């Protein structure tokens, strides 16, 4: 599997084995460009131009190497975009693409921002890596102002091809049973996915964490074989079938 993961997220401190895994430069950190662009457009629509309301502060939590934030930057001109990650290796690469990239964790001492300091949070391909997603959303809610925007993306357990794979008795794409190698599913790369969500589960989880879901959209997955990519793009019209879930929520 090649995945649109940002594998060094600002998460609660993982066990030593996971921390070593995410600090490995060989683990892919770049997000798929189509997903990044779709999510950036959702955020740009939500925030509006900077001139109308002044610059807003956007935190890209789990920014990885900064490619997703760099993709969003042209659509967020005038707004303040800050990358956050706990991986020193990822931050070193992110600082070549972003003017601001700081170290922070969602657990432990929390993020290095005051309560209500952010107008929006990008949380791209991070949720599936978390040991404690509840604590992570609690901390994101803390740093967001009331009414602030959460733009979350994560692979879809119920993607159209995963439904067929399960019927055939094959492990779904995006799921992993080992940090050492791939077993029982298509693909070859291990990226450390611990949790997977369907569209329904993701919406319920985010709502239970103190957010109001505004919209749910789908995005294609760059690891789908080329011959199947037209089908993958068509599936985006029905987010519950899409490869990637893009969720927009607001802090209540």
């Amino acid at each position: 599997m090649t995945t649109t993961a940002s594998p060094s997220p600002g998460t609660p401190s993982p066990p030593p084995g996971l921390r070593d895994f995410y600090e490995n430069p060989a683990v892919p950190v770049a997000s798929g460009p189509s997903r990044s662009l779709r999510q950036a457009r959702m955020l740009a629509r939500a925030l509006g131009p900077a001139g109308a309301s002044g610059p807003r502060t956007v935190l890209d939590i789990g920014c990885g190497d900064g490619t997703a934030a760099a993709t969003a930057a042209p659509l967020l001109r005038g707004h303040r975009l800050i990358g956050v990650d706990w991986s020193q290796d990822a931050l070193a690469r992110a600082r070549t693409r972003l003017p601001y990239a700081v170290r922070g964790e969602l657990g432990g001492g929390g993020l290095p921002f005051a309560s209500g300091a952010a107008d929006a949070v990008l949380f791209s391909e991070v949720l599936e890596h978390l040991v404690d997603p509840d604590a992570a959303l609690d901390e994101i809610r803390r740093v967001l102002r009331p009414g602030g925007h959460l733009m979350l993306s994560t692979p879809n357990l119920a993607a159209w091809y995963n439904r067929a794979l399960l019927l055939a008795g094959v492990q779904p794409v995006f799921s992993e049973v080992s940090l050492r190698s791939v077993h029982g599913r298509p693909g070859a790369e291990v990226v450390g996915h611990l949790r997977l969500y369907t569209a329904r589960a993701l919406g319920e989880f985010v709502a239970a964490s103190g957010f109001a879901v505004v919209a749910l959209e789908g995005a294609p997955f760059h690891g789908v074989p080329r011959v199947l990519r037209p089908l993958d793009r068509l599936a985006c019209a029905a987010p519950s079938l899409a490869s990637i879930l893009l969720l927009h929520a607001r802090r209540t």
Side-chain angles (χ1 to χ4, degrees):
M1 176 186 70
T2 302
T3 184
T4 56
S6 178
S8 48
T11 65
S13 298
L18 276 179
R19 182 176 288 277
D20 292 342
F21 175 83
Y22 289 131
E23 287 284 8
N24 181 357
V27 174
V29 297
S31 295
S34 180
R35 194 278 306 157
S36 298
L37 188 57
R38 287 175 186 236
Q39 190 175 35
R41 287 171 175 162
M42 290 175 71
L43 179 55
R45 290 194 300 268
L47 290 180
S53 54
R56 303 293 181 90
T57 297
V58 180
L59 306 181
D60 183 3
I61 298 176
C63 66
D65 65 2
T67 54
T71 299
L75 300 178
L76 302 174
R77 294 190 188 280
H79 296 300
R80 186 182 302 106
L81 187 57
I82 303 172
V84 185
D85 210 293
W86 61 252
S87 167
Q88 297 288 10
D89 175 76
L91 286 173
R93 286 179 277 174
R95 287 173 181 140
T96 68
R97 297 181 173 96
L98 302 174
Y100 307 105
V102 301
R103 192 174 189 278
E105 297 188 18
L106 287 167
L111 295 169
F113 303 99
S115 297
D119 297 288
V121 164
L122 279 170
F123 203 45
S124 306
E125 313 301 302
V126 176
L127 193 64
E128 62 272 17
H129 297 270
L130 300 182
V131 175
D132 188 350
D134 302 278
L137 284 197
D138 287 346
E139 180 64 1
I140 288 174
R141 190 173 186 276
R142 181 189 70 80
V143 299
L144 275 174
R145 64 168 174 79
H149 303 276
L150 170 63
M151 297 289 174
L152 185 157
S153 67
T154 192
N156 182 10
L157 174 61
W160 61 276
Y161 42 81
N162 278 346
R163 299 182 186 215
L165 289 173
L166 279 170
L167 284 174
V170 177
Q171 187 82 9
V173 174
F174 308 122
S175 66
E176 296 185 329
V177 299
S178 169
L179 290 178
R180 297 177 180 175
S181 58
V182 171
H183 300 286
R185 64 152 174 79
E189 290 184 326
V190 179
V191 294
H193 288 178
L194 304 179
R195 301 179 183 277
L196 290 175
Y197 299 79
T198 64
R200 178 176 178 177
L202 182 65
E204 290 183 3
F205 171 61
V206 170
S209 300
F211 294 86
V213 176
V214 176
L216 180 69
E217 298 184 14
F221 172 44
H222 69 273
V224 168
R226 188 175 299 275
V227 68
L228 296 177
R229 289 179 186 176
L231 284 176
D232 198 39
R233 289 191 293 270
L234 284 174
C236 293
S240 64
L241 297 175
S243 287
I244 306 295
L245 301 171
L246 304 178
L247 184 140
H248 173 202
R250 301 195 72 168
R251 181 197 185 282
T252 56

